[in-house]
Amino acid sequence: MFDYIEFPMLPIVRVHLVINCVLAFLTVSVVGLRLVARFVTGAGLWWDDYLILFALPQGLGMLIIQGLWAPMGIGYPVTETLPNLETILKLLVAYELIYSTAIGTIKVSVLLFYLRVFVNRGLRMATKAALAFVMLWNIGNILQVFLICRPFAKTYSLTVEGECGDQVASFIAIGAFNVISDVIILTLPLPTVWSLKMATPTKFGLTGVFLVGLVVSVIAIIRIVTLTRLDLQNLTGTMIWADFWSATEPNLGILCVSLPMLGSLLSRCLPSRRGNTKLAYHSSGNGANGSAFSKLKDQSQTDTQIPLENIYAANQEVHYQSAVGAGRTPEPLRTAPDADKDKDSGSDVALTDQPTHLSDQKNGIRVQTKWTISHN
C-alpha cells in the first residue's frame, strides 16, 4: 500500500502503540455500552450519539496512522529515514485533518447533549454561543491544513518549490484553543447544577460527572508541550511523543464523554439501595424537546446515588404525589383543590387524600411520597 523502507520498531514506539490499541478497545466497548443503555431505557439515539458514532472511526483512524508510521523509522534521525519522509508527510496531512475533525465532532456532541437535557434559558444561550465558537474553530483547523503551505503539495513533497508558514506554531495555537474550549464546555452546566435543590454530596457527584472530560484537557496540555519540542527538520527523530499523545487524545475524549452515559445500565445491573433517590424529570416528545433537568425534584439530604438513567429516558412521564399529616390527626388528609391540576402539569407537589401507612405516632409529622413513572 505504501512504498517505504522498514525499520526495526523502537521499544518506546511499540509501547505507545500497545497503549493506544488498549485504549481504542476500551473506547469501542464503552461506546457500544452507551448505545445499549440508550435502547434499554427506550430513549433511542439522538444527535449527540450519532456524532460520537461519527467520531469513533476517526479516533481509530488516528491509531491506524500511528501503526503505519511505527515501522517507517519513528524515533530514528531523519538522515536515516529520508527515503520514507514523503510518505510520512502525506500521512501527516491526513493525521492533522482527522485529528481536527475528531476533536471538533466530540465537542459538538457534548454541546448538543447539553441542549437536549437542559432547559435553562441562560445555559442554552451560552451553549449555542459555545457551539458556534467550536464550529468556527474547527473550520479554521481544517483550513490551516490546506493553507499552511503554498502550493498545497509543498506540505508533503520534498521536491515541490514553494513556502510554508510556521507549522509547529500553528499546531500549538490549535492545541491552546482546544484546551480553552474544553474548559469552557465542561464548566458550562456547573452553575445550573449547583442551583438545584439537592444534597451537597449529590452536587459534587454531578460536578465530577461533567468534569471527567478535564482528563482530556490534561492530555491536550501535555500534547502541546511535546509539540514545542517538535523539529520538522528532524521530524522522525522528534515526533515520538507528539505522535503518541495526538492519537491518544481523540479516543480518550470519546471514552470520557461516553462513560457518564452508562449510569442507566449500571443502575439496572446493580442492586438498588433503600433510601436512594434518582434525578427525576417530566419530558415529552423526542430528546430535542424533553429535558432531563426541566423538572428536577427536591432530594433528601442522605441522597448519594447519581445515576443518569432518567436523562436518557426520553419518553417517560413522572407524577409526584406527597401526603403530609400531623401525628395527632386521626382523620385522613384532605385533598388540595388543585391537586389533580398540579399533578397533570408536572408540578413538584400534589396533596392527595390517600391515607398514610406510616406507623401511628403521638407526635411529629408524617410524610408519604409516591412517584409513578410511565412510558408514553
Side-chain angles (χ1 to χ4, degrees), residues 166-180:
D166 192 337
Q167 291 174 281
V168 174
S170 175
F171 298 158
I172 294 173
I174 290 173
F177 277 107
N178 185 26
V179 174
I180 293 171

Side-chain angles (χ1 to χ4, degrees), residues 116-269:
R116 181 164 63 85
V117 302
F118 290 105
V119 295
N120 180 285
R121 186 171 182 271
L123 177 57
R124 290 179 67 85
M125 291 180 62
T127 300
K128 291 177 181 178
L131 185 61
F133 170 77
V134 167
M135 294 183 71
L136 291 174
W137 168 84
N138 198 44
I139 292 173
N141 287 351
I142 294 173
L143 288 178
Q144 72 85 26
V145 174
F146 298 99
L147 300 179
I148 194 71
C149 292
R150 295 185 181 182
F152 172 67
K154 179 63 177 176
T155 309
Y156 56 84
S157 177
L158 302 176
T159 59
V160 173
E161 294 292 332
E163 60 181 11
C164 292
D166 192 337
Q167 291 174 281
V168 174
S170 175
F171 298 158
I172 294 173
I174 290 173
F177 277 107
N178 185 26
V179 174
I180 293 171
S181 60
D182 277 348
V183 174
I184 293 174
I185 291 171
L186 295 173
T187 56
L188 270 178
L190 297 188
T192 299
V193 168
W194 282 90
S195 67
L196 298 174
K197 295 180 180 180
M198 60 173 60
T200 300
T202 304
K203 292 181 181 180
F204 276 113
L206 283 175
T207 300
V209 167
F210 287 112
L211 292 184
V212 68
L214 287 179
V215 175
V216 185
S217 299
V218 174
I219 298 301
I221 294 173
I222 296 175
R223 176 178 174 270
I224 293 174
V225 173
T226 61
L227 287 174
T228 61
R229 302 171 182 172
L230 184 65
D231 181 7
L232 294 182
Q233 301 303 316
N234 183 23
L235 181 61
T236 55
T238 58
M239 67 181 293
I240 293 179
W241 288 97
D243 170 30
F244 171 63
W245 292 117
S246 296
T248 301
E249 187 179 350
N251 287 311
L252 185 62
I254 297 171
L255 178 69
C256 287
V257 301
S258 297
L259 274 176
M261 312 309 178
L262 306 185
S264 60
L265 204 59
L266 292 176
S267 66
R268 291 171 181 267
C269 297

Side-chain angles (χ1 to χ4, degrees), residues 279-283 291-296 310-314 316 318:
L279 296 180
Y281 65 99
H282 180 96
S283 68
S291 299
F293 286 90
S294 61
K295 292 291 180 182
L296 275 170
N310 288 337
I311 288 181
Y312 277 99
Q316 288 183 345
V318 178

